[in-house]
């Protein structure tokens, strides 16, 4: 009798990382498919999920690193990669474009790695789109941070002492995170406006009740991302944005291009032009930042404007971020196993092929 495929869930060790790759509800679904699940004791403590919840769902507690398939959130460290057995598979945010040394370590270890950020952005893969699920969390948190740091109310208030106008919020880069930031800021009562170089997202901006800022610069690219602007386009964009930003109380930036430095959208001069007490929330800190004054992972005050560039916002909401990520991982695992639960990836499938960044030493 063939042994069941074993899925391992280790503790995340990256600084500030509170998420876990699988939650008990997903463990139950994997067990129903005939897979065994081994969870490292305390793996979800930071996400406030006790070990008992995993054992009740059918998992066992133990060493996850010798499993057939190890699932993580962040890429493994060199020491963690060394714990993986040769021939094993790994799922996680493996950063193939920005951390080639980690990919090389997996290749040398004989591990088949599936990077969730490399999953093709096609309709059939939407349930596996971890970039989008975590971007939703980041966009939501960004709007809350803007409200927290702003020295003014977000909503309009009518009081006996008079009327307070609503804050004006501008979101630059309207992907999943940007749309969620717009929607959340509007729920908080702000007057919202969105900008992106991809003109096709204008309708999505309006669908969440925001206005569209049209600067006359269009740069739609492939895979849902914007192309790189020419020098002339970039100069004109910064000039136009510099004039527009001064009319907003809060600016949230989310523009990123995979594997490249984030585009510079908010200059120091633009920050200088904002009203005192304003705020810039820069979600692109990990790739250099969209704001010239951003300090990745830090908060600074310049010209009486707060500029904050938080890193890994999804980890600050570990419960729902883990739940969403676990569903993404489940959908990918279901594509990698056959009806009996055996790990048999079909590399002719464009999703499997696209996600796989190392395989059998290649």
């Amino acid at each position: 009798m063939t042994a069941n495929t074993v899925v391992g869930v280790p503790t995340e060790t990256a600084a500030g990382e509170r998420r876990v790759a699988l939650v008990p509800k997903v463990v139950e679904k994997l067990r129903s498919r005939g897979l065994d699940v081994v969870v490292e004791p305390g793996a979800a403590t930071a996400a406030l999920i006790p070990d008992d919840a995993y054992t009740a769902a059918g998992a066992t507690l133990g060493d996850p690193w010798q499993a057939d398939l190890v699932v993580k959130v962040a890429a493994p460290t060199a020491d963690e990669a060394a714990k993986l057995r040769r021939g094993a598979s790994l799922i996680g945010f493996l950063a193939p474009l920005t951390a080639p040394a980690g990919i090389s370590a997996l290749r040398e270890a004989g591990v088949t790695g599936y990077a969730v950020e490399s999953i093709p952005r096609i309709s059939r893969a939407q349930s596996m789109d971890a970039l989008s699920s975590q971007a939703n969390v980041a966009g939501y948190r960004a709007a809350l941070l803007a409200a927290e740091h702003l020295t003014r109310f977000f909503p309009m208030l009518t009081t006996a002492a008079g009327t307070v106008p609503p804050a004006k919020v501008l979101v630059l880069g309207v992907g999943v995170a940007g749309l969620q930031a717009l929607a959340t800021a509007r729920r908080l009562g702000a007057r919202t406006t969105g900008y992106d170089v991809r003109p096709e997202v204008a309708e999505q901006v309006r669908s969440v009740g925001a206005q569209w800022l049209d600067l006359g610069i269009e740069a739609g690219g492939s895979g849902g991302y914007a192309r790189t602007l020419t020098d002339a386009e970039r100069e004109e964009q910064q000039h136009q944005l510099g004039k527009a930003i001064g009319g907003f109380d809060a600016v949230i930036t989310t523009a990123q291009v995979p594997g490249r430095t984030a585009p510079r959208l908010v200059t120091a001069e633009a920050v200088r032009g904002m009203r005192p007490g304003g705020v810039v929330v820069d979600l692109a800190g990990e790739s250099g930042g969209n704001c010239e004054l951003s300090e990745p992972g830090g908060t600074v005050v310049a010209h009486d404007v707060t500029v904050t560039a938080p890193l890994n916002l999804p980890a600050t909401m570990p419960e729902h971020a883990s739940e969403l990520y676990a569903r993404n991982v489940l959908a990918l695992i279901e594509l990698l196993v056959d009806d009996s639960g055996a790990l048999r990836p079909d590399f002719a499938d464009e999703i499997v092929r696209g996600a796989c960044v190392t395989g059998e030493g290649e």
Side-chain angles (χ1 to χ4, degrees), residues 180-228:
Q180 183 59 249
L182 283 170
T184 303
R186 189 167 188 271
R187 293 188 194 104
L188 292 174
R191 186 176 299 165
T192 53
T193 300
Y195 167 75
D196 200 290
V197 293
R198 300 166 298 158
E200 62 270 20
V201 303
E203 232 12 80
Q204 297 176 44
V205 168
R206 296 187 181 101
S207 73
V208 294
Q211 296 180 319
W212 172 251
L213 178 63
D214 187 359
L215 300 183
I217 301 170
E218 300 181 359
S222 60
Y225 295 102
R227 64 167 172 80
T228 301

Side-chain angles (χ1 to χ4, degrees), residues 67-116:
D68 304 301
L69 172 62
V70 175
V71 293
K72 288 189 88 277
V73 178
T77 63
D79 289 342
E80 289 172 338
K83 296 178 184 179
L84 293 162
R85 66 173 180 78
R86 182 166 292 274
S89 295
L90 171 71
I91 292 175
F93 281 104
L94 304 184
L97 297 178
T98 56
I103 299 301
S104 296
L106 294 177
R107 183 182 302 117
E108 292 170 6
V111 173
T112 300
Y114 299 95
V116 293

Side-chain angles (χ1 to χ4, degrees), residues 158-162:
T158 302
T159 73

Side-chain angles (χ1 to χ4, degrees), residues 46-310:
L48 306 179
I49 305 174
D51 289 342
D52 289 349
Y54 284 99
T55 55
T60 58
L61 302 179
D63 178 11
W65 293 104
Q66 293 302 302
D68 304 301
L69 172 62
V70 175
V71 293
K72 288 189 88 277
V73 178
T77 63
D79 289 342
E80 289 172 338
K83 296 178 184 179
L84 293 162
R85 66 173 180 78
R86 182 166 292 274
S89 295
L90 171 71
I91 292 175
F93 281 104
L94 304 184
L97 297 178
T98 56
I103 299 301
S104 296
L106 294 177
R107 183 182 302 117
E108 292 170 6
V111 173
T112 300
Y114 299 95
V116 293
E117 62 266 61
S118 295
I119 292 173
R121 308 196 83 172
I122 58 176
S123 58
R124 190 165 60 89
Q126 286 182 347
S127 61
M128 311 167 203
D129 189 354
L131 281 175
S132 291
S133 74
Q134 302 307 292
N136 260 311
V137 181
Y140 170 79
R141 291 291 288 175
L144 299 185
L145 280 174
E148 175 186 346
H149 287 289
L150 187 65
T151 60
R152 300 180 280 280
F153 284 113
F154 256 41
M156 180 177 74
L157 294 181
T158 302
T159 73
T163 299
V164 177
K168 296 178 181 178
V169 176
L170 173 64
V171 174
L172 304 178
V174 193
V176 175
L179 285 171
Q180 183 59 249
L182 283 170
T184 303
R186 189 167 188 271
R187 293 188 194 104
L188 292 174
R191 186 176 299 165
T192 53
T193 300
Y195 167 75
D196 200 290
V197 293
R198 300 166 298 158
E200 62 270 20
V201 303
E203 232 12 80
Q204 297 176 44
V205 168
R206 296 187 181 101
S207 73
V208 294
Q211 296 180 319
W212 172 251
L213 178 63
D214 187 359
L215 300 183
I217 301 170
E218 300 181 359
S222 60
Y225 295 102
R227 64 167 172 80
T228 301
L229 298 179
T230 65
D231 290 342
E233 288 173 330
R234 189 179 302 109
E235 184 177 345
E236 178 64 15
Q237 180 190 58
Q238 289 188 351
H239 174 69
Q240 295 286 354
L241 282 176
K243 292 193 300 182
I245 285 170
F248 292 90
D249 299 289
V251 178
I252 298 171
T253 71
T254 73
Q256 299 188 69
V257 180
R260 299 181 185 177
T261 301
R264 183 61 47 78
L265 301 178
V266 182
T267 63
E269 192 60 31
V271 173
R272 185 191 297 273
M274 294 179 69
R275 285 179 60 194
V279 58
V280 176
V281 179
D282 188 347
L283 292 191
E286 292 182 14
S287 54
N290 295 139
C291 179
E292 184 178 357
L293 299 178
S294 291
E295 294 183 3
T299 300
V300 298
V301 178
H303 314 301
D304 294 321
V305 173
T306 299
V307 179
T308 184

